[in-house]
Amino acid sequence: LKLLLFKSTFSLQLLCTIALQMARFLERKQLGEARMQMSWLCSRDPSKLGSSELAGGTLESLAENLSDGFVAPLFWYVLLGPLGALAYRIINTLDSR
């Protein structure tokens, strides 16, 4: 039960999958697809962004989400156990609403 609770506090796999898809779109110069993909990463309007801005937005989103979705839950898990990690995720999610 502790392992399942702890695992539920992480959100790394989907984030990496979306970022890799974004990289493929940018490598292939598929800006339309990359702009649509950006909506999965952040709430900024990608309609006028070029490839460098899309890449920058992807990196910024990766950094923020890596912190919020992996590093911080791990920190709170080490400090307070699975309930600490879960509490952090709940507070973080409510804070972003």
Side-chain angles (χ1 to χ4, degrees):
L1 182 60
K2 283 183 180 181
L3 182 61
L4 289 173
L5 185 61
F6 181 55
K7 187 177 182 326
S8 73
T9 65
F10 290 97
S11 56
L12 192 58
Q13 184 176 3
L14 180 59
L15 176 64
C16 291
T17 299
I18 292 170
L20 288 172
Q21 288 173 344
M22 177 66 89
R24 284 187 211 106
F25 289 145
L26 292 174
E27 285 174 354
R28 296 175 184 151
K29 309 226 184 293
Q30 297 173 311
L31 292 183
E33 289 85 351
R35 288 180 181 126
M36 287 191 301
Q37 187 75 10
M38 180 61 85
S39 67
W40 286 93
L41 293 170
C42 64
S43 59
R44 69 176 71 177
D45 177 17
S47 62
K48 295 184 172 93
L49 299 180
S51 60
S52 62
E53 291 92 0
L54 289 166
T58 301
L59 289 175
E60 291 169 17
S61 183
L62 276 173
E64 181 179 351
N65 286 300
L66 183 62
S67 171
D68 290 348
F70 185 76
V71 175
L74 184 60
F75 170 80
W76 288 105
Y77 175 80
V78 169
L79 195 64
L80 299 173
L83 291 178
L86 184 61
Y88 165 78
R89 290 298 294 157
I90 291 170
I91 292 167
N92 184 264
T93 300
L94 290 174
D95 180 52
S96 68
R97 301 274 176 216

